[in-house]
Amino acid sequence: MYPHFLEKARAVSELRRVLKPDGQMIILHLMSSRLLNEMHREAGEAVAEDRLKPVEVVAGEIGAAGFQVISYEEQDELYLIRARKIEGVRVDAGT
């Protein structure tokens, strides 16, 4: 669902808020960002602009939002980011 968030920074901030201490967030798609973006573009107006950035870019954004990125990987058939909420880190919610 990550590509469908209109305000990704706010969504990540809210996910961080509701996670329990040391809780994990996982972003998983069974295709690469390139293939997913192509599929959305071809699907038409409803999702044509719902884009997913390359995994290293999103992992960096999530790390800056108060998560410890545990691992990330992107291949044609996999897009995966695992991150853990870091306690005691104050971050801007992007609001």
Side-chain angles (χ1 to χ4, degrees):
M1 70 183 170
Y2 186 81
H4 305 289
F5 291 139
L6 295 177
E7 298 180 42
K8 290 174 179 57
R10 288 187 69 187
V12 168
S13 176
E14 180 63 8
L15 289 168
R16 184 178 183 284
R17 185 187 71 77
V18 299
L19 276 173
K20 62 183 174 180
D22 292 323
Q24 289 192 28
M25 174 176 63
I26 296 173
I27 298 174
L28 171 67
H29 293 281
L30 298 179
M31 62 183 68
S32 68
S33 58
R34 179 184 61 80
L35 293 173
L36 182 90
N37 293 339
E38 183 179 306
M39 182 182 75
H40 282 178
R41 192 172 34 256
E42 291 172 0
E45 185 177 332
V47 296
E49 298 302 318
D50 294 357
R51 306 293 178 158
L52 183 61
K53 296 176 186 176
V55 73
E56 61 275 355
V57 174
V58 176
E61 292 172 353
I62 289 169
F67 285 88
Q68 173 194 10
V69 176
I70 299 165
S71 64
Y72 61 89
E73 179 180 355
E74 184 169 10
Q75 304 171 21
D76 280 348
E77 297 180 354
L78 178 67
Y79 184 104
L80 175 64
I81 300 173
R82 289 182 55 224
R84 177 179 294 115
K85 177 181 178 177
I86 300 172
E87 285 300 310
V89 174
R90 188 173 171 95
V91 293
D92 179 15
T95 57

